[in-house]
Amino acid sequence: MKIIVVVPTYNEAENLPNLVSALFSLPLELSVLVVDDNSPDGTGNIADALANAHPGRLSVHHRNGKVGLRSAYLTGFGLALESGADAVAQMDADFSHDPKKLIEMAAKLESCDVVLGSRYVKGGSVDENWPIWRKGLSAWGNFYSRTILRMPLRDITTGFRLWRSETILGMPLERIQASGYIFLVEMAYMAYCLNYQFGEVPIHFSDRRWGKSKMSFKIQVEAAFRIWETLWLFRDLRRKGERARRQ
């Protein structure tokens, strides 16, 4: 199975070389696509150097500015599919997601359409150094989202995912509108409405090793309100999926 890992970057110069090394050490048929938003710290130049060092295994898509997570992933998905990927992974560049977990996720994908790296299934966890308020906010945000959307998944806000290419091709991704991290929830909800089968693999979510977090209060507020809008915008897909399940 040919896997392409899409990695959006903005100021990840300290993390990217180590991440690429870790990914290429895995016993998988795997390549990397970096989507860089013109990082001021030179991440794009580092990605180009890595591409020269790993011809055919790493490619770089440069963008003119910080456009957002949704467009980074949608662009990356399109390029990965054009390159003949059988499966497409999405993960953060900051080592909050353990690259080794892709081995287990790839095995799980043999029996489903998309695999989530889950912090909230048995065996999953978040960074033990997080303060109580941060752990509570993360768990509550996930519970809030899946309760409103009535999804039987444990971690719908995770950014660590592995998709079958056919699954991505079967989804009307142009309907997704959120620009921040709520994009991840919208995409999972769309797949659920279309009756794609999910698997969840336990992961440990570590705090970033280097660099600065991209999460902000504005993003959190958008997410809280956007959940209700997601429920409304995709109501036709939900009804269609429910009819299909009854049949």
Side-chain angles (χ1 to χ4, degrees):
M1 178 168 58
K2 179 183 177 182
I3 300 172
I4 294 182
V5 182
V6 178
V7 182
T9 57
Y10 185 78
N11 288 348
E12 297 291 355
E14 295 173 290
N15 291 308
L16 188 60
N18 293 327
L19 177 65
V20 169
S21 177
L23 287 170
F24 287 164
S25 71
L26 301 177
L28 296 169
E29 185 183 352
L30 177 151
S31 58
V32 175
L33 169 61
V34 175
V35 181
D36 185 66
D37 277 4
N38 196 26
S39 299
D41 72 346
T43 300
N45 293 332
I46 292 172
D48 287 335
L50 290 167
N52 290 331
H54 301 280
R57 295 202 68 188
L58 192 147
S59 57
V60 188
H61 180 75
H62 294 278
R63 306 202 298 173
N64 292 329
K66 193 175 181 181
V67 186
L69 191 68
R70 173 184 63 89
S71 62
Y73 271 127
L74 295 185
T75 297
F77 291 156
L79 293 172
L81 296 175
E82 289 176 8
S83 297
D86 300 309
V88 182
Q90 52 184 127
M91 66 184 299
D92 294 343
D94 60 6
F95 279 94
S96 56
H97 303 139
D98 183 356
K100 294 187 183 69
K101 275 293 179 175
L102 279 171
I103 301 171
E104 189 177 349
M105 293 169 73
K108 187 78 170 179
L109 194 65
E110 298 290 340
S111 59
C112 58
D113 301 305
V114 54
V115 179
L116 307 180
S118 177
R119 299 158 291 182
Y120 299 115
V121 294
K122 184 178 180 179
S125 58
V126 298
D127 197 293
E128 57 275 8
N129 294 319
W130 278 10
I132 293 296
W133 68 265
R134 187 174 178 186
K135 291 179 180 178
L137 182 62
S138 174
W140 170 253
N142 186 68
F143 174 78
Y144 174 83
S145 301
R146 63 187 180 86
T147 300
I148 291 171
L149 298 176
R150 293 177 290 139
M151 294 178 66
L153 302 170
R154 300 301 302 174
D155 195 349
I156 65 171
T157 58
T158 178
F160 197 11
R161 303 175 176 186
L162 182 62
W163 300 82
R164 286 183 177 272
S165 293
E166 310 93 271
T167 306
I168 296 174
L169 287 168
M171 297 168 63
L173 296 180
E174 69 281 355
R175 292 184 57 175
I176 294 178
Q177 300 177 17
S179 57
Y181 283 83
I182 193 62
F183 153 78
L184 298 169
V185 176
E186 287 197 18
M187 193 170 177
Y189 184 61
M190 178 181 285
Y192 175 73
C193 290
L194 294 172
N195 290 331
Y196 286 114
Q197 299 301 305
F198 285 80
E200 290 189 86
V201 166
I203 64 167
H204 175 70
F205 186 87
S206 301
D207 213 354
R208 66 165 43 241
R209 297 182 184 179
W210 302 282
K212 185 179 179 181
S213 174
K214 312 302 188 302
M215 185 60 69
S216 68
F217 180 73
K218 179 182 177 182
I219 290 172
Q220 293 171 341
V221 171
E222 180 201 13
F225 287 100
R226 185 71 187 180
I227 292 297
W228 294 98
E229 191 172 3
T230 297
L231 186 66
W232 173 255
L233 288 175
F234 297 146
R235 64 194 184 283
D236 59 323
L237 296 183
R238 182 81 185 222
R239 288 195 296 266
K240 181 179 178 181
E242 290 173 345
R243 285 197 301 268
R245 285 193 290 272
R246 287 195 296 268
Q247 295 172 356

